[in-house]
Amino acid sequence: MEPYIVKILSVEPVTHNVKRFRIEKPDGYIFHPGQATDLSINTPALVNEKHPFTFTALEEEEYLEFTIKIYESRHGVTDALGKLEPGSELVIGDSWGAIEYKDPGVFVAGGAGVTPFIAIFRRLYKDNKIDHNLLIFSNKTLQDIILREEFTKILGNNFINTLTAEKVPGYDNRHINSDYLKEKITDFNQPFYICGPDPFVKEISDALVGFGANPESVVFEK
């Protein structure tokens, strides 16, 4: 399919280094929660620098939305995205794969790896199907937690946070490893959804399968 050239409608901060971009939605554009698209900035220097980003709004919204962590020190695409303003043009392709929700289960995310889960949780919450889903979320510090208030509203006590670089009352101060998973999860006969850095995903997936999880029920981006 031909790529779509779309304009940014709004840019808002989510955390100190994460921004929410709402952009024009092409007529007839279709995606599902958990899916992504390849995105680039419509300038001669960057139009061919395509990177995958996950949709974070719901299908029925009149705009598309991306929640993106800005890595200023890398001087790459996200750094350039972070400097854009409404009216700037982006190029997107069709939606594709990423993470597909099957049944209630345990979501495990590291940092910005939570973004594929945002639209999934919003969809389940709106459809009153959020029960029996658990999110275990690892971040370095409290200020790094993306959409902390919204996830708390959606999931309540089924929103578990651990901080690896600071101690805060009410929050765990541990890395997510096999011991942590065994402590937090009592049933390994259910779906698991994992997203984060590649080493994080591998360690979590291997641990879950080691505890008896069905490899076919461990879902992650491929």
Side-chain angles (χ1 to χ4, degrees), residues 4 6-10 20-26 29-31 37 39 54-59 61-67 92-93 95:
Y4 305 91
V6 293
K7 289 184 178 180
I8 295 176
L9 302 174
S10 66
R20 175 189 297 115
F21 296 83
R22 288 181 175 168
I23 69 172
E24 293 174 329
K25 185 177 186 180
Y29 195 91
I30 297 173
F31 71 94
T37 189
L39 178 152
T54 309
F55 302 103
T56 54
L58 296 181
E59 311 99 305
E61 302 291 357
E62 296 181 353
Y63 52 81
L64 299 177
E65 179 185 282
F66 302 95
T67 303
I92 63 171
S95 58

Side-chain angles (χ1 to χ4, degrees), residues 75-207:
H75 306 294
V77 170
T78 67
D79 178 39
L81 280 169
K83 297 173 181 175
L84 297 182
E85 297 182 353
S88 300
E89 289 185 344
L90 303 176
V91 181
I92 63 171
D94 287 327
S95 58
W96 50 265
I99 291 181
E100 179 184 359
Y101 179 79
K102 297 179 178 180
D103 290 298
V106 177
F107 293 75
V108 185
V114 80
T115 54
F117 303 154
I118 294 173
I120 291 174
F121 284 133
R122 287 174 171 171
R123 176 83 276 156
L124 293 171
Y125 184 69
K126 189 169 184 178
D127 293 347
N128 293 315
K129 295 180 179 178
I130 194 64
D131 289 351
H132 310 299
N133 285 288
L134 173 73
L135 172 59
I136 302 174
F137 195 9
S138 175
N139 287 277
K140 290 182 179 179
T141 69
L142 186 65
Q143 69 170 351
D144 293 324
I145 301 177
I146 296 171
L147 300 178
R148 176 164 55 100
E149 292 183 0
E150 182 175 357
F151 284 138
T152 299
K153 175 183 176 182
I154 290 174
L155 292 159
N157 292 332
N158 284 340
F159 180 32
I160 297 174
N161 287 277
T162 184
L163 307 175
T164 60
E166 72 175 359
K167 294 182 179 180
V168 177
Y171 292 80
D172 291 336
N173 175 224
R174 297 164 60 185
H175 288 274
I176 298 180
N177 55 24
S178 58
D179 290 339
Y180 190 83
L181 293 171
K182 194 170 184 180
E183 179 181 310
K184 300 297 180 181
I185 301 168
T186 57
D187 176 15
F188 290 92
N189 186 30
Q190 61 180 317
F192 292 91
Y193 307 89
I194 311 165
C195 195
D198 289 344
F200 174 90
V201 172
K202 185 178 188 311
E203 180 179 1
I204 302 305
S205 300
D206 289 348

